[in-house]
Amino acid sequence: MTEKAEFANLLQESRMFEPSEAFKAQANVNDNSLYERADEDFEGYWEDRARELEWFQPWNTVLTWEPPHCKWFEGGKLNICHNALDRHLDGPRRNKAAIIWEGENYDTRTLTYLQLHREVCQFANVLKGLGVKKGDRVAIYLPMVVEAAVAMLACARIGAIHSVVFGGFAPESLRDRINDCEAKVLVTEDGSTRRGKALLLKDTADKALEETPCIKKVVVVKRPYGDPYQCTMKEGRDLWYHDLMAKADTDCPCEEMDAEDPLFILYTSGTTGKPKGVVHTTGGYAVGAHSTCKYVFDMKDTDIFWCTADVGWVTGHTYIAYGPLMNGVTQIMFEGVPNHPHNGRFWEVIEKYRVTIFYTAPTAIRAFMKWGEEIPQKFDLSSLRLLGSVGEPINPEAWIWYHTYIGREGCPIVDTWWQTETGSILMSNLPGVNGMKPGKAGLALPGVCIEIVDDQCNPLATGSGLLVIKKPWPSMLRTIWGDDQRLIDTYFSKWDIQTYFAGDGATRDEDGYIMVLGRVDDVLNVSGHRIGTMEIESVLVEHPKVAEAAVVGKQHEIKGQAIVAYVSYKGDVSHVSEADIAELKKFVADKIGAIARPDEIYVSHDLPKTRSGKIMRRLLRDIAEGRELGDTTTLADPSVVEEIRKQLA
Ligand code: WTA
């Protein structure tokens, strides 16, 4: 049997992989003490974690839980930027690299903690100079440049609430996110490259800015590394980052924030057409971000941490902008992609900087598998000591491949389950404590009350069910920006108001290990990115030729899920050409962003509906996956299915 065939046979993998004695001996935690402490005193456990940070003033109350609203560490005052930067400046970390930035085209930039602190203070003063005050919103639309982290930390420093919008989003998505939170200032960039192609963010932003009356000023980062490209600057509104910074004072004290003051808003897809502005607050989020870095990623002063996520997603917030810096490690911030200019780009970065902890997504791992293990084998990956996975279920084959070829069988893997709403990792093995099972995220972290329940919310000791969280945790979302009711409707209404429903299905085995199976709602997970089917549907129906649309997911070898859209057409279906289909795909990409571009679109005169007019999504999923369809005679118009099937052939 070839090695590849052996991997394919590992779908039923059930081995337990124990961390090595050497790893255990050096781990920040290597016994059950954290679990025991959390079991015996839930609030006390979280107080211990909070004490690992610096507070200007201690809290009076650990937790107030008036479901679905929680408050953590009330009365406490802190600043997350102080914890990420200032507190390191009095000791040996002062001149240590905080961020080593590697550009797509091999430019590099290193900022020590002292230098990053100075740049953040200056930018905080720039924001103040533009009239930004505590509680105001600042939108950040930047690619993976150091200035993205600087802008986020600067907002935190002065108590402004940042809303980072992923650089891949289209003008309308940016516009809606800016308007929903009424941001005053937008921070963006003139232009750079992605996979060698021009990425002109300011041009995209300009289109959004035509309909964002709340934005008073736009700060534009000029890329000294990119092409000598010059974007359009609007007189009186648009200002260059470097001009403002040259004049900015380097002294900017941290605002003393209440633990429950909002820190940021991050929009994420849900089951309606409108993205939700997930709100995180300061104290609890800081505790979650800091403690998971310390205990799940086992961060130490000697580590070089690299999280490959984009700052536009929650992973880039918690495990780039905040968590690693709060732990005083050196981290890599990488602007590029895994396969440009060659398929070994990631391994080259690991070799170059001697990365010790590497955190990436299963979709990337599956792509690496396809490209072949010969590629990583050309690089020296011996510096790695711990690997992480996030964003979607990791299939056992990919886990074993990651373990074998990247971890060289010596690195524990943390399969970390969490969500934009949870703020930080809630489920993972602790790498120095528990064994690992390929494909299983494992156990809830200490102080986190995850259960797998049946449809009636009865807890299941083993078997398949729905993933719920029965007690609040510090980095829990506090609300949906401007829409408290949506917090209840989305997460706390399936059973009772105390039970958070995550939207995921999961199974638990006899050892209590949990395998997260994926979303059970109308949210797709495409290459680790959440996309609501309703969002795509509502864009498709805006197209003049589309009457109705239904979007479903289909299993995809690399992306996890692919997007399949079914549309009913106004006009003669028999004349729909490939160009028409391509136009529809482009229409979606232009309106939402390339990540939402459907992989397949099928056109028919109507959608398959029941006689009462309900679109039969399950049937559409079966068609997409090529499954047996069973009885379709209950459909209002069975001929529709044939019409679609003809296009599949
Ligand atoms: C999925 C990303 C299985 C899950 C941090 C969740 C996972 C959604 C894992 C959140 C994992 C994330 N195993 N599934 N380790 N991590 N997911 O908000 O469906 O972009 O609900 O946060 O990703 O996606 P989000």
Side-chain angles (χ1 to χ4, degrees):
M1 202 190 312
T2 65
E3 247 180 9
K4 289 225 165 68
E6 267 173 45
F7 278 119
N9 282 344
L10 290 171
L11 274 170
Q12 300 305 322
E13 175 65 56
S14 59
R15 267 181 294 171
M16 177 82 102
F17 290 74
E18 294 294 340
S20 67
E21 288 308 316
F23 187 95
K24 280 185 161 177
Q26 61 79 59
N28 287 339
V29 55
N30 54 15
D31 56 25
N32 283 326
S33 53
L34 294 184
Y35 294 106
E36 285 163 8
R37 172 83 176 121
D39 285 348
E40 107 208 342
D41 182 359
F42 173 75
E43 292 189 8
Y45 170 81
W46 284 115
E47 280 191 289
D48 291 351
R49 301 290 74 75
R51 283 194 201 99
E52 293 170 345
L53 296 174
E54 278 185 18
W55 296 72
F56 301 133
Q57 186 181 299
W59 52 92
N60 312 317
T61 319
V62 183
L63 170 65
T64 311
W65 178 222
E66 285 161 10
H69 297 288
C70 68
K71 289 182 183 159
W72 283 90
F73 311 116
E74 252 182 306
K77 286 192 185 290
L78 80 165
N79 189 297
I80 194 167
C81 184
H82 170 90
N83 279 283
L85 300 175
D86 302 53
R87 77 157 162 161
H88 307 309
L89 299 185
D90 293 335
R93 288 174 180 161
R94 181 182 175 84
N95 295 317
K96 169 180 181 173
I99 297 180
I100 302 177
W101 179 84
E102 167 104 358
E104 167 158 301
N105 52 11
Y106 296 85
D107 298 316
T108 66
R109 185 177 170 201
T110 301
L111 278 100
T112 64
Y113 274 93
L114 188 67
Q115 290 167 330
L116 183 59
H117 176 261
R118 183 183 304 146
E119 188 147 342
V120 167
C121 287
Q122 282 182 297
F123 196 62
N125 280 326
V126 165
L127 291 173
K128 281 186 180 173
L130 298 178
V132 175
K133 298 195 181 60
K134 183 178 171 185
D136 286 345
R137 275 78 60 207
V138 172
I140 300 174
Y141 183 60
L142 282 171
M144 288 291 286
V145 287
V146 172
E147 288 81 357
V150 169
M152 292 162 83
L153 289 158
C155 286
R157 195 166 186 88
I158 62 171
I161 302 168
H162 59 71
S163 167
V164 182
V165 181
F166 173 57
F169 277 124
E172 288 186 20
S173 300
L174 175 62
R175 177 199 66 193
D176 294 348
R177 286 160 173 76
I178 288 174
N179 287 337
D180 186 73
C181 71
E182 296 167 290
K184 240 184 178 171
V185 168
L186 171 69
V187 186
T188 187
E189 176 198 79
D190 55 348
S192 55
T193 60
R194 186 159 179 86
R195 214 175 254 111
K197 288 200 207 117
L199 177 74
L200 305 179
L201 284 190
K202 179 62 166 55
D203 280 5
T204 313
D206 279 339
K207 291 189 195 113
L209 288 162
E210 286 168 15
E211 294 172 304
T212 55
C214 47
I215 294 281
K216 302 298 173 227
K217 297 286 175 197
V218 178
V219 180
V220 185
V221 175
K222 175 130 202 69
R223 289 296 304 284
Y225 324 99
D227 289 334
Y229 158 79
Q230 179 77 49
C231 60
T232 327
M233 297 289 278
K234 186 170 170 185
E235 191 66 41
R237 185 195 67 187
D238 301 352
L239 303 153
W240 288 109
Y241 178 90
H242 56 269
D243 286 345
L244 296 165
M245 290 291 273
K247 290 179 234 136
D249 196 343
T250 54
D251 183 32
C252 178
C254 280
E255 190 76 31
E256 292 201 2
M257 304 294 285
D258 284 330
E260 282 298 329
D261 278 336
L263 175 65
F264 68 83
I265 305 169
L266 184 59
Y267 287 84
T268 189
S269 293
T271 49
T272 71
K274 193 170 170 262
K276 302 172 285 201
V278 168
V279 177
H280 283 288
T281 54
T282 308
Y285 175 81
V287 169
H290 177 267
S291 64
T292 47
C293 281
K294 184 166 175 183
Y295 299 109
V296 177
F297 290 119
D298 193 43
M299 282 187 193
K300 312 219 173 52
D301 251 305
T302 42
D303 278 312
I304 315 274
F305 177 76
W306 180 22
C307 164
T308 67
D310 191 282
V311 283
W313 309 115
V314 74
T315 309
H317 282 58
T318 309
Y319 300 105
I320 296 177
Y322 293 114
L325 296 174
M326 280 195 282
N327 280 269
V329 301
T330 295
Q331 75 171 316
I332 308 297
M333 190 169 177
F334 179 57
E335 183 195 37
V337 293
N339 55 351
H340 181 84
H342 58 80
N343 288 356
R345 189 69 175 103
F346 272 15
W347 321 126
E348 190 176 44
V349 170
I350 291 176
E351 178 180 279
K352 180 170 174 186
Y353 295 108
R354 315 299 298 143
V355 170
T356 59
I357 308 172
F358 177 62
Y359 190 32
T360 197
T363 184
I365 299 166
R366 290 191 296 264
F368 300 140
M369 280 176 79
K370 201 167 171 197
W371 300 335
E373 60 272 11
E374 314 77 65
I375 295 173
Q377 280 168 344
K378 285 188 209 127
F379 296 88
D380 178 3
L381 305 180
S382 61
S383 56
L384 290 172
R385 68 179 194 88
L386 178 62
L387 304 174
S389 169
V390 64
E392 48 178 320
I394 178 166
N395 44 314
E397 303 147 85
W399 194 101
I400 296 283
W401 190 92
Y402 197 30
H403 186 252
T404 309
Y405 295 112
I406 308 307
R408 300 154 342 277
E409 296 181 349
C411 301
I413 297 179
V414 284
D415 176 0
T416 62
W417 178 87
W418 60 296
Q419 308 178 297
T420 304
E421 295 86 342
T422 71
S424 58
I425 298 166
L426 293 191
M427 176 162 43
S428 163
N429 53 304
L430 294 176
V433 181
N434 328 101
M436 301 153 268
K437 294 191 186 186
K440 298 190 177 174
L443 306 174
L445 292 185
V448 175
C449 188
I450 290 178
E451 283 182 5
I452 310 302
V453 299
D454 66 14
D455 283 343
Q456 275 73 51
C457 205
N458 301 309
L460 300 171
T462 57
S464 299
L466 301 169
L467 197 160
V468 301
I469 310 174
K470 286 282 179 80
K471 277 186 189 172
W473 61 98
S475 63
M476 178 171 126
L477 84 161
R478 297 302 192 260
T479 190
I480 300 298
W481 183 260
D483 199 350
D484 242 8
Q485 187 57 40
R486 207 166 163 197
L487 174 80
I488 301 172
D489 295 347
T490 314
Y491 309 101
F492 293 96
S493 64
K494 195 164 171 67
W495 302 282
D496 56 84
I497 194 88
Q498 318 225 2
T499 304
Y500 173 91
F501 174 47
D504 279 324
T507 68
R508 192 203 295 265
D509 70 16
E510 23 337 305
D511 297 322
Y513 276 51
I514 294 171
M515 174 186 261
V516 179
L517 301 168
R519 307 287 309 189
V520 293
D521 54 9
D522 291 328
V523 174
L524 304 181
N525 191 329
V526 180
S527 301
H529 302 318
R530 267 166 77 166
I531 303 167
T533 51
M534 275 282 286
E535 271 174 82
I536 304 175
E537 288 164 9
S538 54
V539 165
L540 278 169
V541 296
E542 280 177 38
H543 192 279
K545 289 184 188 156
V546 173
E548 276 186 299
V551 170
V552 300
K554 171 186 178 174
Q555 270 198 18
H556 187 278
E557 195 193 350
I558 307 255
K559 299 199 242 186
Q561 279 189 304
I563 303 170
V564 180
Y566 298 89
V567 301
S568 62
Y569 221 58
K570 294 180 188 160
D572 188 355
V573 180
S574 59
H575 285 100
V576 177
S577 66
E578 270 181 34
D580 292 324
I581 301 284
E583 183 194 311
L584 287 178
K585 290 184 184 176
K586 183 169 180 298
F587 188 74
V588 175
D590 287 349
K591 294 252 177 193
I592 305 179
I595 51 165
R597 180 195 301 272
D599 296 90
E600 298 166 23
I601 297 187
Y602 300 103
V603 177
S604 47
H605 77 277
D606 195 2
L607 293 177
K609 290 179 192 148
T610 58
R611 290 200 183 114
S612 57
K614 221 173 145 251
I615 296 175
M616 290 187 67
R617 284 168 187 278
R618 180 181 297 217
L619 182 78
L620 291 173
R621 263 181 241 137
D622 288 343
I623 297 176
E625 302 275 11
R627 284 192 286 262
E628 283 288 318
L629 294 191
D631 184 14
T632 54
T633 51
T634 54
L635 287 174
D637 178 357
S639 75
V640 176
V641 172
E642 262 328 291
E643 211 177 306
I644 296 172
R645 277 234 269 217
K646 269 193 218 133
Q647 296 168 58
L648 289 168

